Amino acid sequence: MGCNSSRLERLPAVALCRERCKFLNEALRQSYALADAHVAHMESLKTLGPALLCFFAHFEDSGETNSPINETKPSLPKSPPPRSPSSSSSDSDAHVLLHSELEAEDVDKGFQVFPSFSEFSLADLRAATNGFSSDHIVSESGEKAPNVVFKGRLQNHNRRWIAVKRFSKLAWPDPKQFADEAWGVGNLRHHRLANLIGYCCDGDERILVAEYMPNDTLAKHLFHWENQTIGWNMRLRVALFITEALDYCSNKGYPLYHDLNAYRVLFDENGDPRLSCFGLIKNSRDGKSYSTNLAYTPPEYLRNGRVTPESVIYSFGTVLLDLLSGKHIPPNHALDMIRGKNIRLLMDSHLEGNFSTEEATVVFDLASQCLQYEPRERPKTQDLVTTLSPLQIKPDVPSYIMLGIPKREEAPPTPQHPLSPLGDACSRMDLTAIHQILLMTNYRDDEGSNELSFQEWTQQTRDMLEARKHGDLAFRDKNFRTSIECYSQFIDVGTMVSPTVYARRSLCYLLCDQPDAALRDAMQAQCVYPDWPTAFYMQAVALSKLNMNKDAADMLSEAAALEEKMQRGK
């Protein structure tokens, strides 16, 4: 069942705050009140009680709780040696490599656990990109060794969005060399990178697979924006995050980054800037490391055609100029503009003066150091981090707010079992559709759960049913706050228990942006009717709203399985 302690123990301890614990503790109190009022449900409540206690204890502040659950950090898995392309399988399931490179500091700070590196089958990637459809193309580049990046979605249980970079065979004729390059970069894992999560080396195909970043490139936000330009504080964050990515790669033995520019900086689902992992691998075995105009190319590369760690620093200097000016200005031209003049001549006019001259001067001075003609005079990656870190004056403001994009609300992945209309609506987080379905279902699932004797039929009961009636009318008319008030009057009397009322009030709470209370009601609906799929579906939506997506997916799968079981039993 959905309320077992093993599932609850998997919930992340940082996911809910103390206010949520208060809501759920209130749910526990009401559970036992319901038990007194309705003896027929006592056994299910007794079963649920310990699980709820376990749930509440798990989310209490670790400094003030006697929780029986010990919060543990995930252990860092060990990485097996790279696999050769000859070990490729035609099976649709990818071969999985767990990483030793998951940063301990990332785990301590509560950052995401990254997907493992996988060897994908060509069939998987064809399915993910609809046969490498031109409609899925994100970018194209290269002349002698053309490559195309597609947006795709894996068709397995997690339905992950991916970026698929497809090379021609001419770019990497030796499959082992390509696989070795991919496995090396695939071992890197950092929250400032759009990480490489797999590759495919099947026949003539040479493909890299990375995390997909849905919110465009830095170039789009700087040079081709529509509604608003990227703000100054966000530009400073971009600069710092790039340097943190470069510093991490350098410390892990990957100091070379090919053709660093504003198109290589991507924004993830939360609006955080990340550096594309594709730049850690050249576009071809013997290809150029720079595809941009020679005006932006490090001078030493023009002399000998080689990329060095210092070349990467030079390229970062050009990105700093982009951030300052909002234009892709050749370095020499930008330096000429500023010598002996006011830095405001260089600054992006679309900022409308909303920047600190002192901070801009620090950034320009750093760009000037990066663009030194002599490579040995350029700063190291750690120097870049040290210089840019003190400029971050709004570290607690989420990137999506600074970037001006909506907050992500991720729907739970689709379960393996077939979905009913309600299940499909919940998987899509379509609250309007859920509302219509609950209206149509009415109180059909409450039949037999509230048989009142003549003695129990009192004026109080009539008032309670009247409150439910008013709640139903408000629910029908989409007056959700009134509906909450009326349903609460019905529930507070306690003479009757109705899983449908809890489900409806749960949806009302969701529509009023109160996912904590919605989760409480959905759990109460399960209390009253332990095998009711609707209770599980509503928990899935509430958990997803609370960004507890793994648990939302588990709950959605349980609901679909219960629904399928009920259909077979008819």
Side-chain angles (χ1 to χ4, degrees):
M1 294 307 304
C3 286
N4 60 72
S5 60
S6 63
R7 183 184 70 78
L8 294 171
E9 288 174 10
R10 296 199 304 270
L11 300 180
V14 296
L16 297 180
C17 64
R18 181 174 297 280
E19 286 301 312
R20 296 174 189 163
C21 297
K22 291 179 181 178
F23 277 126
L24 292 170
N25 274 306
E26 176 63 14
L28 180 62
R29 184 192 65 77
Q30 292 188 17
S31 294
Y32 287 118
L34 282 170
D36 293 334
H38 204 79
V39 178
H41 297 287
M42 180 63 78
E43 290 304 316
S44 62
L45 287 168
K46 285 181 179 177
T47 302
L48 184 66
L52 283 171
L53 284 171
C54 178
F55 188 82
F56 305 145
H58 193 52
F59 293 112
E60 287 292 344
D61 194 329
S62 58
E64 304 176 20
T65 184
N66 296 318
S67 169
I69 302 174
N70 294 320
E71 181 182 344
T72 58
K73 296 174 183 175
S75 59
L76 302 182
K78 296 184 178 179
S79 171
R83 305 162 62 95
S84 68
S86 61
S87 65
S88 173
S89 169
S90 61
D91 295 339
S92 62
D93 291 331
H95 301 294
V96 175
L97 169 67
L98 296 177
H99 296 277
S100 60
E101 301 299 341
L102 177 60
E103 291 292 275
E105 64 177 288
D106 290 352
V107 175
D108 291 340
K109 295 177 181 178
F111 289 113
Q112 68 195 78
V113 176
F114 301 108
S116 56
F117 188 76
S118 307
E119 182 182 356
F120 289 92
S121 74
L122 183 58
D124 280 342
L125 300 181
R126 284 191 188 280
T129 58
N130 194 22
F132 299 106
S133 167
S134 59
D135 293 337
H136 289 242
I137 292 177
V138 176
S139 67
E140 297 179 82
S141 62
E143 296 177 2
K144 293 183 178 179
N147 63 86
V148 183
V149 179
F150 298 84
K151 172 185 176 182
R153 192 171 194 180
L154 295 175
Q155 300 302 306
N156 59 12
H157 67 280
N158 63 31
R159 304 275 295 164
R160 177 184 295 279
W161 287 101
I162 54 175
V164 179
K165 185 173 184 176
R166 192 184 192 193
F167 300 88
S168 70
K169 181 184 177 182
L170 294 176
W172 294 93
D174 183 352
K176 185 178 187 304
Q177 185 180 25
F178 178 75
D180 288 345
E181 289 276 341
W183 280 99
V185 174
N187 273 317
L188 302 176
R189 283 293 179 272
H190 199 268
H191 56 284
R192 302 295 183 234
L193 287 173
N195 295 283
L196 191 68
I197 63 174
Y199 81 107
C200 174
C201 200
D202 185 340
D204 292 344
E205 294 289 349
R206 305 290 184 265
I207 300 173
L208 298 176
V209 182
E211 294 178 295
Y212 177 69
M213 303 289 111
N215 283 310
D216 292 318
T217 66
L218 176 61
K220 172 70 179 295
H221 288 283
L222 273 181
F223 312 141
H224 312 294
W225 52 274
E226 297 176 0
N227 298 320
Q228 66 179 65
T229 187
I230 187 171
W232 175 245
N233 288 312
M234 189 62 190
R235 297 186 193 205
L236 293 176
R237 181 172 293 184
V238 169
L240 175 63
F241 282 18
I242 297 173
T243 61
E244 289 179 342
L246 293 174
D247 190 51
Y248 166 79
C249 293
S250 181
N251 291 335
K252 294 298 181 182
Y254 282 83
L256 302 185
Y257 192 93
H258 305 279
D259 203 11
L260 174 61
N261 58 63
Y263 291 91
R264 296 286 200 183
V265 182
L266 313 170
F267 292 88
D268 67 16
E269 62 273 12
N270 297 313
D272 286 329
R274 299 216 224 163
L275 188 62
S276 171
C277 64
F278 291 151
L280 295 166
I281 300 177
K282 289 196 296 185
N283 284 336
S284 66
R285 180 189 62 181
D286 302 317
K288 296 180 179 179
S289 293
Y290 286 87
S291 59
T292 54
N293 188 299
L294 294 181
Y296 304 92
T297 303
E300 65 273 15
Y301 182 78
L302 297 176
R303 293 195 299 267
N304 55 36
R306 292 176 53 207
V307 175
T308 66
E310 292 76 21
S311 306
V312 179
I313 301 300
Y314 184 95
S315 297
F316 177 69
T318 68
V319 175
L320 288 181
L321 291 180
D322 293 345
L323 291 168
L324 287 166
S325 66
K327 307 178 186 66
H328 199 34
I329 301 176
N332 288 339
H333 181 54
L335 293 173
D336 290 341
M337 284 176 63
I338 196 64
R339 286 192 181 98
K341 298 179 181 180
N342 193 317
I343 194 172
R344 289 183 175 270
L345 292 176
L346 178 66
M347 296 302 295
D348 187 352
S349 61
H350 294 108
L351 289 172
E352 297 179 344
N354 294 317
F355 63 90
S356 162
T357 303
E358 292 78 9
E359 292 169 352
T361 301
V362 171
V363 174
F364 178 78
D365 289 345
L366 186 62
S368 300
Q369 296 173 41
C370 293
L371 296 170
Q372 290 295 309
Y373 184 83
E374 289 298 330
R376 64 177 178 273
E377 296 179 2
R378 298 169 196 160
K380 305 295 184 184
T381 54
Q382 183 55 56
D383 299 328
L384 303 178
V385 174
T386 301
T387 301
L388 292 169
S389 293
L391 303 183
Q392 310 302 311
I393 62 172
K394 294 185 176 181
D396 297 329
V397 178
S399 292
Y400 71 86
I401 292 178
M402 297 174 72
L403 200 59
I405 60 174
K407 182 180 180 182
R408 176 182 66 118
E409 289 187 350
E410 182 176 311
T414 304
Q416 296 297 301
H417 299 277
L419 290 175
S420 65
L422 177 59
D424 178 64
C426 290
S427 72
R428 294 183 287 107
M429 301 282 287
D430 188 342
L431 301 185
T432 301
I434 297 171
H435 175 252
Q436 288 299 317
I437 292 169
L438 291 183
L439 267 179
M440 293 170 59
T441 305
N442 203 11
Y443 286 87
R444 185 175 60 210
D445 294 324
D446 283 15
E447 293 176 3
S449 64
N450 289 291
E451 296 178 2
L452 295 175
S453 67
F454 179 78
Q455 290 79 7
E456 290 176 308
W457 192 265
T458 64
Q459 182 60 46
Q460 186 182 48
T461 303
R462 286 192 290 271
D463 292 342
M464 177 182 64
L465 293 174
E466 190 69 17
R468 190 182 76 174
K469 178 181 177 181
H470 288 304
D472 291 339
L473 291 173
F475 188 76
R476 182 199 65 188
D477 296 336
K478 301 182 181 180
N479 189 344
F480 299 114
R481 296 195 182 278
T482 300
S483 188
I484 289 172
E485 293 174 4
C486 295
Y487 285 146
S488 297
Q489 292 175 25
F490 172 85
I491 290 170
D492 290 344
V493 173
T495 306
M496 296 174 63
V497 285
S498 167
T500 299
V501 167
Y502 279 118
R504 288 186 169 201
R505 193 172 71 167
S506 177
L507 178 62
C508 292
Y509 279 130
L510 287 171
L511 288 161
C512 293
D513 199 24
Q514 298 181 56
D516 311 274
L519 177 60
R520 178 196 68 194
D521 273 3
M523 293 175 71
Q524 286 284 25
Q526 186 192 343
C527 266
V528 177
Y529 191 166
D531 293 329
W532 193 33
T534 300
F536 287 75
Y537 279 133
M538 295 308 299
Q539 288 180 61
V541 178
L543 288 165
S544 188
K545 283 281 191 177
L546 292 167
N547 294 321
M548 299 166 68
N549 296 312
K550 174 64 171 63
D551 298 283
D554 291 345
M555 191 63 71
L556 195 68
S557 294
E558 287 190 69
L562 273 175
E563 206 162 41
E564 189 177 28
K565 181 180 177 182
M566 292 177 69
Q567 290 295 326
R568 288 199 306 264
K570 288 184 176 181

